[in-house]
Amino acid sequence: MAEPAGVDRGIQSLISARNSLKSSLEKSKAIGLALGKTGPRFEDIEQRLPSLEAAVRPIRADREALVAVGGHINRAVGPAAAVLKVFDAVHGLEKSLLSDPKNDLSGYLSVLKRLEEALRFLGENCGLAIQWLEDIVEYLEDHSVADEKYLSSLKKSLRGLREFQDKACLDGGLKEAALDKLENEFRRLLQDNSVPLPMASPSSLGDQPCIAPSQLPVTVIHKLQAILGRLRANNRLEKCVSIYVEVRSSNVRASLQALDLEYLDISVNEFNDVQSIEGYIAQWGNHLEFAVKHLFEAEFKLCNDVFERFGSNVWMDCFSKIAAQAGMLAFLQFGKTVTDSKKDPIKLLKLLDIFTSLNKLRADFNRLFGGAACIEIQNFTRDLIKKLIDGAAEIFWELLVQVEIQKQIPPPSDGGVPRLVSFVTDYCNKLIGDKYKSTLTQVLLIHKSWRSERFQENQLMVEVLRIIKMIEQNMDAWMKAYPDQTLAHFFSMNNHWHLYKNLKGTRIGDQLGDPWLKEHDQYKEYYATVFLRDSWGKLPSHLSREGLILFSGGHATARDLVKKRLKSFNDAFDEMYKKQSTWVVPEKDLRDRVCQQIVQAVVPVYRSYMQNYGPLVEKDASSSKYVRYTVVALEKMLSSLYIPKPMRYGSFKGTPPSEKLKNDVDLRRTTSAVV
């Protein structure tokens, strides 16, 4: 019975051994599989070991040294990481800032402001972060924590970063590019909204409103101001002012082009006297008023609107540059050119015209150009006004002397009115007339005050009356200079009538008084009577009827006597007509009257004579030798006497007292009494 029990124990042992072996085999199999899977991982690790070794190689320090440097590294990494984060933010703004600002100007300005804030942070912190990193490198080097090659590479990187910081180029030029785009947008807004003032023609100046409104929409002005704010914050305001001046001055010049202002460029050498540009002077006054009241007024207001936030110095300086570049100085230069031209009595009137135009705009000039920025325009204007006053006063005070000088010039050979007389009477009437009297008085008053001299209220009239009375003296001298007394009387008739007619009813005539005027009228009548008596009045005596009645029955004898007397009349008539056909009576009313008196003195006698005795010779074969004129032809010839030939109205020319008087002064020229 015991044997079976022992067998069982043996079997159990075998089973247990088998199971243990089986388990060991399974574990071995599992380990084999695991080893099979781990093999490639070891191979990968083996391949990565060289690079890991290279990364760790610079660190040569022991554990204690590495633990000590850890704190230094932690203090530097924090600021450096913050700086890197801001750098990343700057990079993120690049796309927006490289776009076109006109699509969303307010958004663009907002992004640009964020960039400025980021760059401000970098500017304040980047240097500190670099300094801390440099301290770490220095610590590593001092404690031999890393090898020299590794430290050299770190130093090189930090030097490059330091150079970027020193050049303020931490954004890689992004802000400068954005500011350039803003400047371009500033220019575009101005150009797209700057339109020349429309004018149908220069004659429409008077139809323009008194003051031109602002030429830019309010929305555009707000955009310009917003751009200026950002550009000024980045020290670019001066560039914006230059752009603004360039665009707006060009716009003003374009508005002025319709006025045809080429005459402003005329130089002193391009004209002989003021009369050659007289028409331009009238235009100049209208054009200047238009430019000041319409164009520069608008620019003045617009400069204030756009740049008001930046102070009066900025916008006044801007306006002064626009005014100078747009042509204000050219207007003033033209006035100066006139003052520099040759002296001439006509020039006095033109100087007064220019002074009147400037004086009319005095309040506008003071308001627009009164600031310190417009000092060039102020100085130019002040110099021009001084030249105008000095020039006008000098010409006026020399007039009397220049009129007196003309006394020595031969009188006109045609017995007419010398150009000096006609010019001076008309000229003095203008000086005392409504247009010039107050201006000339003001000019002379200012000129006297500069010399600390007094100017009497009636001094202008007194001087003009002296000039007229000097003309009288000249007339007397010229009359005596004629060798032909008939021509002298003819001349006196003309000139006394000219003074009477052209001064009666004028301010000068009122000052001279009726007795003075009547005296000249009486002189005219006297000399007309003497002239007629001594010339044409003698012709009828050649047609005497004496002796013809006795020969009423002897036709042959009567015919011979009529022939003789007709021949004597014809010869005297031809001689007198030929002589006086070159004489002139400028005043039509006087000419008509004189011719009528001559006709009345000659034609009735001739008609009666021919009616009574003409038949005695008309049938003769040689009648044409004695009957040269019909009554109608004779009357027509006498009625057409003394008509002036068309001639340019003239001034007078003389020499100043300091120069030797020339005997060949040409009164036919419209030149000066003051050389």
Side-chain angles (χ1 to χ4, degrees):
M1 297 292 295
E3 187 175 359
V7 173
D8 290 339
R9 286 195 296 272
I11 292 171
Q12 289 296 327
S13 297
L14 288 173
I15 293 171
S16 178
R18 180 178 64 85
N19 290 338
S20 177
L21 181 59
K22 184 178 180 180
S23 177
S24 297
L25 289 172
E26 289 177 354
K27 290 180 179 179
S28 297
K29 185 178 180 180
I31 292 172
L33 291 173
L35 289 174
K37 294 180 179 180
T38 306
R41 292 178 61 190
F42 281 122
E43 293 176 358
D44 183 55
I45 292 172
E46 186 177 5
Q47 292 176 358
R48 291 172 57 193
L49 280 176
S51 60
L52 292 174
E53 182 181 5
V56 178
R57 186 180 302 133
I59 302 175
R60 299 300 185 185
D62 54 20
R63 180 179 178 185
E64 289 76 9
L66 291 175
V67 171
V69 81
H72 294 283
I73 294 176
N74 289 336
R75 284 192 298 273
V77 168
V83 169
L84 289 174
K85 185 176 181 180
V86 174
F87 269 117
D88 290 338
V90 169
H91 180 71
L93 301 176
E94 184 174 353
K95 182 178 180 181
S96 298
L97 293 177
L98 294 180
S99 63
D100 195 335
K102 77 175 183 179
N103 297 326
D104 181 12
L105 180 60
S106 60
Y108 192 92
L109 293 172
S110 177
V111 173
L112 178 58
K113 188 174 182 180
R114 288 169 54 193
L115 174 63
E116 293 173 5
E117 292 173 352
L119 293 178
R120 192 178 303 112
F121 174 85
L122 291 177
E124 295 172 354
N125 295 280
C126 186
L128 182 60
I130 294 172
Q131 182 61 52
W132 283 343
L133 291 175
E134 289 174 342
D135 291 343
I136 292 298
V137 173
E138 183 179 352
Y139 181 88
L140 294 176
E141 186 177 25
D142 291 344
H143 294 79
S144 301
V145 176
D147 64 14
E148 294 182 0
K149 183 178 181 181
Y150 181 71
L151 293 175
S152 176
S153 177
L154 287 176
K155 290 179 180 179
K156 181 178 180 181
S157 298
L158 290 175
R159 280 197 302 271
L161 189 59
R162 177 71 74 181
E163 289 177 1
F164 273 107
Q165 185 208 14
D166 293 340
K167 295 179 181 179
C169 196
L170 297 174
D171 62 343
L174 179 60
K175 185 176 78 168
E176 291 301 310
L179 294 175
D180 290 342
K181 285 184 172 292
L182 276 184
E183 285 182 358
N184 293 335
E185 177 63 7
F186 186 81
R187 181 186 294 274
R188 186 196 68 79
L189 285 170
L190 283 173
Q191 290 177 336
D192 290 354
N193 293 278
S194 295
V195 181
L197 195 64
M199 287 181 292
S201 67
S203 61
S204 65
L205 294 183
D207 300 330
Q208 298 289 333
C210 181
I211 299 297
S214 172
Q215 297 184 30
L216 292 182
V218 175
T219 55
V220 173
I221 292 177
H222 290 165
K223 288 182 178 180
L224 293 174
Q225 289 176 335
I227 294 175
L228 285 170
R230 292 265 49 83
L231 292 175
R232 185 194 188 192
N234 289 277
N235 299 318
R236 289 208 182 191
L237 182 60
E238 185 175 348
K239 181 65 180 298
C240 288
V241 170
S242 298
I243 294 173
Y244 186 91
V245 170
E246 175 190 343
V247 175
R248 294 304 301 180
S249 60
S250 175
N251 189 68
V252 174
R253 289 195 300 272
S255 298
L256 291 172
Q257 283 180 354
L259 303 182
D260 189 15
L261 300 177
E262 293 184 1
Y263 67 87
L264 294 180
D265 297 326
I266 293 178
S267 65
V268 177
N269 298 327
E270 290 183 88
F271 55 87
N272 295 324
D273 52 48
V274 174
Q275 284 183 304
S276 64
I277 60 167
E278 186 173 355
Y280 290 138
I281 294 175
Q283 291 183 37
W284 177 86
N286 293 331
H287 292 165
L288 176 63
E289 182 176 359
F290 170 77
V292 171
K293 286 187 172 293
H294 295 266
L295 300 179
F296 293 122
E297 175 70 34
E299 294 305 320
F300 183 83
K301 181 179 183 302
L302 190 57
C303 282
N304 182 32
D305 291 344
V306 174
F307 294 96
E308 63 178 341
R309 300 177 183 177
F310 310 103
S312 61
N313 290 339
V314 174
W315 70 264
M316 282 297 295
D317 179 66
C318 184
F319 170 73
S320 70
K321 292 177 180 177
I322 292 175
Q325 294 185 21
M328 188 62 213
L329 293 176
F331 277 106
L332 298 176
Q333 179 58 52
F334 177 81
K336 183 177 181 298
T337 299
V338 176
T339 65
D340 291 338
S341 64
K342 183 174 58 178
K343 294 179 183 178
D344 187 302
I346 289 293
K347 177 180 173 179
L348 170 57
L349 302 181
K350 299 304 106 183
L351 294 179
L352 295 177
D353 287 337
I354 294 175
F355 180 85
T356 299
S357 296
L358 292 173
N359 196 42
K360 183 179 179 181
L361 297 171
R362 181 173 56 180
D364 299 285
F365 265 68
N366 290 338
R367 180 167 49 84
L368 298 180
F369 311 115
C374 295
I375 189 65
E376 183 179 11
I377 294 177
Q378 294 171 29
N379 290 339
F380 211 127
T381 304
R382 190 179 298 111
D383 181 62
L384 173 57
I385 291 175
K386 186 177 188 306
K387 285 180 175 292
L388 290 171
I389 292 175
D390 287 341
E394 183 178 357
I395 293 174
F396 178 77
W397 294 120
E398 289 183 357
L399 283 175
L400 181 64
V401 175
Q402 297 305 322
V403 170
E404 184 179 11
I405 288 175
Q406 306 302 306
K407 187 185 300 182
Q408 303 180 44
I409 298 174
S413 60
D414 59 10
V417 178
R419 283 171 179 75
L420 174 68
V421 176
S422 59
F423 174 84
V424 169
T425 52
D426 179 64
Y427 186 76
C428 288
N429 278 329
K430 287 182 178 179
L431 292 180
I432 302 299
D434 293 334
K435 183 177 180 180
Y436 292 109
K437 181 181 179 182
S438 60
T439 303
L440 180 55
T441 301
Q442 182 181 3
V443 165
L444 296 178
L445 177 63
I446 295 173
H447 188 259
K448 287 282 188 180
S449 67
W450 287 349
R451 300 186 175 189
S452 300
E453 299 175 1
R454 294 186 62 185
F455 180 77
Q456 302 296 333
E457 184 177 353
N458 65 337
Q459 196 167 349
L460 174 59
M461 180 62 76
V462 169
E463 190 68 17
V464 169
L465 294 181
R466 291 178 65 195
I467 294 172
I468 296 297
K469 291 178 180 179
M470 182 58 66
I471 286 290
E472 289 184 289
Q473 296 180 27
N474 286 15
M475 286 167 48
D476 292 339
W478 287 328
M479 179 182 173
K480 295 174 182 178
Y482 282 109
D484 185 341
Q485 285 301 303
T486 302
L487 182 56
H489 297 152
F490 183 83
F491 166 84
S492 296
M493 172 195 71
N494 267 325
N495 285 271
H496 284 291
W497 176 245
H498 180 85
L499 289 181
Y500 173 81
K501 181 180 180 180
N502 288 276
L503 295 178
K504 182 177 175 60
T506 67
R507 291 177 178 174
I508 297 176
D510 293 342
Q511 288 292 320
L512 291 169
D514 286 338
W516 185 92
L517 292 170
K518 289 180 180 179
E519 183 181 41
H520 282 281
D521 187 30
Q522 292 169 355
Y523 274 128
K524 179 264 298 179
E525 291 292 341
Y526 170 76
Y527 286 115
T529 301
V530 174
F531 158 71
L532 186 63
R533 182 196 67 193
D534 294 344
S535 57
W536 299 101
K538 294 180 178 182
L539 280 180
S541 64
H542 293 281
L543 299 176
S544 172
R545 303 187 183 199
E546 183 179 355
L548 292 178
I549 193 65
L550 299 177
F551 298 99
S552 58
H555 290 286
T557 304
R559 183 184 302 113
D560 291 342
L561 190 57
V562 169
K563 286 182 179 180
K564 181 179 179 180
R565 290 177 179 175
L566 282 175
K567 183 178 185 302
S568 175
F569 173 85
N570 289 334
D571 290 344
F573 176 86
D574 288 347
E575 181 183 358
M576 193 172 300
Y577 185 85
K578 180 180 179 181
K579 176 182 179 181
Q580 296 193 21
S581 63
T582 60
W583 296 5
V584 298
V585 178
E587 306 287 351
K588 186 178 184 303
D589 51 353
L590 178 61
R591 182 170 65 250
D592 292 343
R593 182 179 175 185
V594 169
C595 289
Q596 184 182 9
Q597 289 176 342
I598 294 174
V599 168
Q600 290 174 350
V602 176
V603 173
V605 176
Y606 184 75
R607 180 186 295 112
S608 176
Y609 196 83
M610 292 304 296
Q611 287 175 348
N612 291 318
Y613 307 107
L616 293 175
V617 296
E618 287 174 352
K619 295 180 181 180
D620 192 281
S622 60
S623 62
S624 60
K625 293 174 57 178
Y626 306 103
V627 184
R628 298 180 189 175
Y629 306 102
T630 65
V631 173
V632 174
L634 189 70
E635 183 175 357
K636 186 177 181 180
M637 290 175 67
L638 293 175
S639 299
S640 61
L641 280 169
Y642 312 130
I643 298 176
K645 295 179 181 180
M647 191 174 293
R648 186 172 63 166
Y649 177 80
S651 173
F652 60 92
K653 180 181 179 182
T655 53
S658 59
E659 296 186 10
K660 182 178 179 180
L661 181 66
K662 297 181 180 179
N663 294 323
D664 58 347
V665 178
D666 186 359
L667 291 176
R668 293 172 297 176
R669 297 182 59 196
T670 57
T671 50
S672 174
V674 188
V675 178

